[in-house]
Amino acid sequence: MPNINLIAERRAEKRRMERLSKQLFYAMGASLAILVSVGSYLMTARFKQMGDVADADHRMEKVRPIIDEIDRVKKETSDKQPKVTTLERARFDTLRWTLLFQAVAQSLPKDVWLTTIGAPEGEPIVVSLSGSAPSQAIAGQVALNLKSKPLFERVELLSTNLLDKGGRFGFQINAPIKPISLPTAPPPTAEAKKTAKVTTVKGDNSRV
């Protein structure tokens, strides 16, 4: 009787071990399948990333001449900027003297004579006018006419004096000219930057 019980217990233990072995086998198989799936996904992602990098490098090589050309133009523009500034200042100086002579000619009433007109070198430019007028009132009118011109910062009637028995009065006027400011390009707005960026990207894609 004891032997029969021992055999039954051994058989039950054997069946339990077989079940555990099967469960362990299935668990190892599932783990291996998961590991293979994860590895395959990572390898696929890696190859895709390498392909994207290679494609980006290829596109960059195509637009590299455009970038180099832009850098060259920027350098040439920077090198020429001092000359452009000098030419712009010369143009504005010429225009300023033209406006000066026009303003003076338009400010002289009838029978007013100019004897000297000049300005010392340097900034700010202060124009000195000397002449004669039929009366002190007309000499004062010359100063008022000049003051109405936007070219001058201010106008000062320094003196008037009787020149001769004929009744003409000499006058002297100083009139500083407003300093000039060379125009500069305004900084691009955020919308302009965005538009320029979009245009650049589209241009690059069309060439790639």
Side-chain angles (χ1 to χ4, degrees), residues 60-110:
M60 183 59 70
E61 287 300 322
K62 283 191 174 183
V63 301
R64 178 65 62 185
I66 300 175
I67 296 176
D68 293 341
E69 180 67 15
I70 292 174
D71 292 339
R72 185 187 67 80
V73 172
K74 285 183 178 179
K75 184 178 183 305
E76 287 185 356
T77 302
S78 177
D79 293 341
K80 293 177 181 179
Q81 188 59 43
K83 296 179 181 179
V84 173
T85 301
T86 301
L87 291 175
E88 281 292 308
R89 179 164 291 278
R91 185 173 72 87
F92 270 81
D93 285 341
T94 302
L95 178 61
R96 181 166 55 177
W97 285 109
T98 301
L99 294 176
L100 169 65
F101 291 125
Q102 289 178 352
V104 170
Q106 293 170 358
S107 300
L108 297 180
K110 186 178 179 181

Coordinates of all heavy atoms in Angstrom, one line a residue, residues 60-110:
M60 N 21.7 69.4 -49.0 CA 22.6 70.4 -48.6 C 23.7 70.6 -49.7 O 24.1 71.8 -50.0 CB 23.2 70.1 -47.3 CG 24.1 71.2 -46.7 SD 23.2 72.8 -46.6 CE 22.1 72.4 -45.2
E61 N 24.2 69.5 -50.2 CA 25.2 69.7 -51.2 C 24.7 70.4 -52.5 O 25.4 71.1 -53.1 CB 25.8 68.3 -51.6 CG 26.6 67.6 -50.5 CD 27.9 68.5 -50.2 OE1 28.4 69.1 -51.2 OE2 28.2 68.6 -49.0
K62 N 23.4 70.2 -52.8 CA 22.8 70.8 -54.0 C 22.7 72.3 -53.8 O 22.8 73.1 -54.7 CB 21.5 70.2 -54.3 CG 21.6 68.8 -55.0 CD 20.3 68.4 -55.5 CE 20.4 67.1 -56.4 NZ 19.1 66.7 -56.9
V63 N 22.3 72.7 -52.5 CA 22.1 74.2 -52.3 C 23.4 74.9 -51.8 O 23.4 76.1 -51.6 CB 21.0 74.4 -51.2 CG1 19.7 73.8 -51.7 CG2 21.4 73.8 -49.9
R64 N 24.4 74.1 -51.6 CA 25.7 74.7 -51.2 C 26.2 75.8 -52.1 O 26.6 76.9 -51.6 CB 26.8 73.6 -51.0 CG 28.1 74.2 -50.6 CD 28.1 74.8 -49.2 NE 27.7 73.8 -48.2 CZ 27.5 74.1 -47.0 NH1 27.6 75.4 -46.6 NH2 27.1 73.2 -46.1
P65 N 26.1 75.6 -53.4 CA 26.5 76.8 -54.3 C 25.7 78.0 -54.1 O 26.2 79.1 -54.2 CB 26.4 76.2 -55.7 CG 26.4 74.7 -55.6 CD 25.8 74.4 -54.2
I66 N 24.4 77.9 -53.9 CA 23.6 79.0 -53.6 C 24.0 79.7 -52.4 O 24.1 81.0 -52.3 CB 22.1 78.6 -53.5 CG1 21.7 77.9 -54.8 CG2 21.2 79.8 -53.3 CD1 20.3 77.3 -54.8
I67 N 24.2 78.9 -51.3 CA 24.7 79.5 -50.0 C 26.0 80.3 -50.2 O 26.2 81.4 -49.7 CB 24.8 78.5 -49.0 CG1 23.4 77.8 -48.7 CG2 25.4 79.0 -47.7 CD1 23.4 76.7 -47.7
D68 N 26.9 79.6 -51.0 CA 28.2 80.3 -51.2 C 28.1 81.6 -52.0 O 28.8 82.6 -51.7 CB 29.2 79.3 -52.0 CG 29.5 78.1 -51.1 OD1 29.4 78.2 -49.9 OD2 30.0 77.1 -51.7
E69 N 27.1 81.6 -53.0 CA 26.9 82.8 -53.7 C 26.3 83.9 -52.9 O 26.7 85.1 -53.0 CB 25.9 82.5 -54.9 CG 25.6 83.7 -55.8 CD 26.8 84.2 -56.6 OE1 27.8 83.4 -56.7 OE2 26.7 85.3 -57.1
I70 N 25.4 83.5 -52.0 CA 24.8 84.5 -51.0 C 25.9 85.1 -50.2 O 26.0 86.3 -49.9 CB 23.7 83.9 -50.2 CG1 22.5 83.5 -51.1 CG2 23.3 84.8 -49.1 CD1 21.4 82.7 -50.4
D71 N 26.8 84.3 -49.6 CA 27.9 84.7 -48.8 C 28.8 85.7 -49.6 O 29.3 86.7 -49.1 CB 28.7 83.6 -48.2 CG 27.9 82.7 -47.2 OD1 26.9 83.3 -46.7 OD2 28.3 81.6 -47.0
R72 N 29.1 85.3 -50.9 CA 29.9 86.2 -51.7 C 29.3 87.6 -51.9 O 30.0 88.6 -51.8 CB 30.2 85.5 -53.0 CG 31.2 86.3 -53.9 CD 31.3 85.6 -55.3 NE 30.0 85.8 -56.0 CZ 29.6 86.9 -56.7 NH1 30.4 87.9 -56.6 NH2 28.5 86.9 -57.3
V73 N 28.0 87.6 -52.2 CA 27.3 88.8 -52.4 C 27.3 89.7 -51.1 O 27.5 90.9 -51.2 CB 25.9 88.6 -52.9 CG1 25.0 89.9 -53.0 CG2 25.9 87.9 -54.3
K74 N 27.1 89.0 -50.0 CA 27.1 89.8 -48.7 C 28.5 90.4 -48.5 O 28.6 91.5 -48.0 CB 26.7 88.8 -47.6 CG 25.3 88.4 -47.5 CD 25.0 87.6 -46.3 CE 23.5 87.2 -46.2 NZ 23.2 86.4 -45.0
K75 N 29.5 89.6 -48.8 CA 30.9 90.2 -48.6 C 31.1 91.3 -49.5 O 31.7 92.4 -49.1 CB 31.9 89.1 -48.8 CG 33.3 89.5 -48.5 CD 34.3 88.3 -48.7 CE 35.7 88.8 -48.3 NZ 36.2 90.0 -49.0
E76 N 30.8 91.2 -50.8 CA 31.0 92.3 -51.7 C 30.2 93.5 -51.3 O 30.7 94.7 -51.4 CB 30.5 91.9 -53.1 CG 31.5 90.9 -53.8 CD 31.1 90.6 -55.2 OE1 30.0 91.1 -55.7 OE2 31.8 89.8 -55.9
T77 N 28.9 93.3 -50.8 CA 28.1 94.4 -50.4 C 28.8 95.1 -49.2 O 28.8 96.4 -49.1 CB 26.7 94.0 -50.0 OG1 26.1 93.3 -51.1 CG2 25.9 95.1 -49.5
S78 N 29.3 94.3 -48.2 CA 30.0 94.9 -47.1 C 31.2 95.7 -47.5 O 31.5 96.7 -46.9 CB 30.3 93.8 -46.1 OG 31.0 94.3 -45.0
D79 N 32.0 95.1 -48.4 CA 33.2 95.8 -48.9 C 32.9 97.1 -49.6 O 33.7 98.1 -49.5 CB 34.0 94.9 -49.8 CG 34.6 93.7 -49.1 OD1 34.6 93.7 -47.8 OD2 34.9 92.7 -49.7
K80 N 31.8 97.2 -50.3 CA 31.4 98.4 -51.1 C 30.6 99.4 -50.3 O 30.4 100.5 -50.8 CB 30.6 98.0 -52.3 CG 31.4 97.2 -53.4 CD 30.6 96.8 -54.5 CE 31.4 95.9 -55.5 NZ 30.5 95.5 -56.7
Q81 N 30.2 99.0 -49.1 CA 29.3 99.9 -48.3 C 30.0 101.2 -48.0 O 29.3 102.3 -48.1 CB 28.9 99.2 -47.0 CG 27.9 100.0 -46.2 CD 26.6 100.2 -47.1 OE1 26.1 99.3 -47.7 NE2 26.1 101.4 -47.0
P82 N 31.3 101.3 -47.6 CA 31.9 102.6 -47.4 C 31.9 103.5 -48.6 O 31.6 104.7 -48.5 CB 33.4 102.2 -47.0 CG 33.3 100.9 -46.4 CD 32.2 100.2 -47.3
K83 N 32.1 102.9 -49.8 CA 32.1 103.7 -51.0 C 30.7 104.2 -51.3 O 30.5 105.4 -51.7 CB 32.6 102.9 -52.2 CG 34.1 102.5 -52.1 CD 34.5 101.7 -53.3 CE 35.9 101.2 -53.2 NZ 36.3 100.4 -54.4
V84 N 29.7 103.4 -51.1 CA 28.3 103.8 -51.3 C 27.9 104.9 -50.4 O 27.3 105.9 -50.7 CB 27.4 102.5 -51.1 CG1 25.9 103.0 -51.2 CG2 27.7 101.5 -52.2
T85 N 28.4 104.8 -49.1 CA 28.1 105.8 -48.1 C 28.7 107.1 -48.5 O 28.1 108.2 -48.4 CB 28.6 105.4 -46.7 OG1 28.0 104.2 -46.4 CG2 28.3 106.4 -45.7
T86 N 30.0 107.1 -49.0 CA 30.6 108.3 -49.5 C 29.9 109.0 -50.6 O 29.7 110.2 -50.7 CB 32.1 108.0 -49.9 OG1 32.8 107.4 -48.7 CG2 32.8 109.3 -50.3
L87 N 29.5 108.1 -51.6 CA 28.8 108.7 -52.7 C 27.4 109.2 -52.3 O 27.0 110.3 -52.8 CB 28.6 107.6 -53.8 CG 29.8 107.1 -54.5 CD1 29.5 105.9 -55.4 CD2 30.4 108.2 -55.3
E88 N 26.7 108.6 -51.4 CA 25.4 109.1 -50.9 C 25.6 110.4 -50.2 O 24.8 111.3 -50.4 CB 24.8 108.1 -50.0 CG 24.1 106.9 -50.7 CD 22.9 107.3 -51.4 OE1 22.0 108.0 -50.9 OE2 22.8 107.0 -52.6
R89 N 26.7 110.5 -49.4 CA 26.9 111.8 -48.7 C 27.2 112.9 -49.7 O 26.7 114.0 -49.6 CB 28.0 111.6 -47.7 CG 28.3 112.9 -46.9 CD 29.2 112.7 -45.7 NE 28.4 112.0 -44.7 CZ 27.5 112.5 -43.9 NH1 27.3 113.9 -44.0 NH2 26.9 111.8 -43.0
A90 N 28.0 112.6 -50.7 CA 28.3 113.6 -51.8 C 27.1 114.0 -52.5 O 26.9 115.2 -52.8 CB 29.4 113.0 -52.7
R91 N 26.2 113.0 -52.8 CA 24.9 113.4 -53.5 C 24.1 114.3 -52.6 O 23.5 115.3 -53.1 CB 24.2 112.1 -53.8 CG 22.9 112.3 -54.7 CD 22.4 111.0 -55.1 NE 21.8 110.3 -54.0 CZ 20.5 110.4 -53.6 NH1 19.7 111.3 -54.2 NH2 20.0 109.7 -52.6
F92 N 24.0 113.9 -51.3 CA 23.2 114.8 -50.4 C 23.8 116.1 -50.2 O 23.0 117.1 -50.1 CB 23.0 114.1 -49.1 CG 21.8 113.1 -49.0 CD1 21.9 111.9 -49.6 CD2 20.6 113.6 -48.5 CE1 20.8 111.0 -49.5 CE2 19.5 112.7 -48.4 CZ 19.6 111.5 -49.0
D93 N 25.1 116.2 -50.2 CA 25.7 117.5 -50.0 C 25.4 118.4 -51.2 O 25.1 119.6 -51.1 CB 27.2 117.4 -49.8 CG 27.6 116.9 -48.5 OD1 26.8 117.0 -47.5 OD2 28.7 116.4 -48.3
T94 N 25.5 117.8 -52.4 CA 25.2 118.6 -53.7 C 23.8 119.0 -53.7 O 23.5 120.2 -54.0 CB 25.5 117.7 -54.9 OG1 26.9 117.3 -54.9 CG2 25.2 118.5 -56.2
L95 N 22.9 118.1 -53.3 CA 21.5 118.5 -53.2 C 21.2 119.6 -52.2 O 20.4 120.5 -52.4 CB 20.6 117.2 -52.9 CG 19.1 117.4 -52.8 CD1 18.6 117.9 -54.1 CD2 18.5 116.1 -52.4
R96 N 21.9 119.5 -51.1 CA 21.7 120.5 -50.0 C 22.1 121.9 -50.5 O 21.4 122.9 -50.3 CB 22.5 120.1 -48.8 CG 22.4 121.1 -47.6 CD 22.9 120.4 -46.4 NE 24.3 120.0 -46.5 CZ 25.0 119.5 -45.5 NH1 24.4 119.3 -44.3 NH2 26.2 119.1 -45.6
W97 N 23.3 122.0 -51.2 CA 23.7 123.3 -51.7 C 22.7 123.8 -52.8 O 22.4 125.0 -52.9 CB 25.1 123.2 -52.3 CG 26.1 123.2 -51.2 CD1 26.9 122.1 -50.8 CD2 26.5 124.2 -50.3 NE1 27.7 122.4 -49.8 CE2 27.4 123.7 -49.4 CE3 26.0 125.5 -50.1 CZ2 28.0 124.5 -48.4 CZ3 26.6 126.3 -49.1 CH2 27.6 125.8 -48.2
T98 N 22.2 122.9 -53.6 CA 21.2 123.3 -54.6 C 20.0 123.9 -54.0 O 19.4 124.9 -54.4 CB 20.8 122.1 -55.5 OG1 22.0 121.6 -56.2 CG2 19.8 122.5 -56.6
L99 N 19.5 123.2 -52.9 CA 18.3 123.7 -52.2 C 18.6 125.0 -51.5 O 17.7 125.9 -51.4 CB 17.9 122.6 -51.1 CG 17.4 121.3 -51.7 CD1 17.1 120.3 -50.5 CD2 16.1 121.6 -52.5
L100 N 19.9 125.2 -51.0 CA 20.3 126.4 -50.4 C 20.1 127.6 -51.4 O 19.5 128.6 -51.0 CB 21.7 126.3 -49.9 CG 22.3 127.6 -49.4 CD1 21.6 128.2 -48.2 CD2 23.8 127.5 -49.1
F101 N 20.7 127.5 -52.5 CA 20.6 128.6 -53.5 C 19.2 128.9 -53.9 O 18.8 130.0 -54.1 CB 21.5 128.3 -54.7 CG 23.0 128.3 -54.4 CD1 23.8 127.2 -54.7 CD2 23.6 129.4 -53.8 CE1 25.1 127.2 -54.4 CE2 24.9 129.4 -53.5 CZ 25.7 128.3 -53.8
Q102 N 18.4 127.8 -54.1 CA 17.0 128.0 -54.4 C 16.2 128.7 -53.3 O 15.5 129.7 -53.5 CB 16.3 126.7 -54.7 CG 16.7 126.0 -55.9 CD 16.0 124.6 -56.1 OE1 15.4 124.1 -55.2 NE2 16.2 124.0 -57.3
A103 N 16.5 128.3 -52.0 CA 15.8 129.0 -50.9 C 16.2 130.4 -50.8 O 15.4 131.3 -50.5 CB 16.2 128.2 -49.6
V104 N 17.5 130.7 -51.0 CA 18.0 132.1 -50.9 C 17.3 133.0 -52.0 O 16.8 134.1 -51.8 CB 19.5 132.2 -50.9 CG1 20.0 133.7 -51.1 CG2 20.1 131.6 -49.7
A105 N 17.3 132.4 -53.2 CA 16.8 133.2 -54.4 C 15.3 133.4 -54.2 O 14.8 134.5 -54.5 CB 17.0 132.4 -55.6
Q106 N 14.6 132.5 -53.6 CA 13.1 132.7 -53.3 C 12.8 133.6 -52.2 O 11.7 134.1 -52.0 CB 12.5 131.3 -53.1 CG 12.5 130.4 -54.3 CD 12.1 129.0 -53.9 OE1 11.8 128.7 -52.8 NE2 12.0 128.1 -54.9
S107 N 13.8 133.8 -51.3 CA 13.6 134.6 -50.1 C 14.0 136.1 -50.3 O 13.7 136.9 -49.4 CB 14.4 134.1 -48.9 OG 14.1 132.7 -48.7
L108 N 14.5 136.5 -51.4 CA 15.0 137.9 -51.6 C 13.9 138.7 -52.3 O 13.4 138.4 -53.4 CB 16.2 137.9 -52.5 CG 17.5 137.2 -52.0 CD1 18.6 137.4 -53.0 CD2 17.9 137.8 -50.6
P109 N 13.3 139.7 -51.5 CA 12.4 140.6 -52.1 C 13.0 141.5 -53.2 O 14.2 141.5 -53.4 CB 11.9 141.5 -51.0 CG 12.3 140.7 -49.7 CD 13.5 140.0 -50.1
K110 N 12.2 142.2 -53.9 CA 12.7 143.1 -55.0 C 13.6 144.2 -54.4 O 13.3 144.7 -53.3 CB 11.5 143.8 -55.7 CG 11.8 144.6 -56.9 CD 10.6 145.1 -57.6 CE 11.0 146.0 -58.8 NZ 9.8 146.6 -59.4

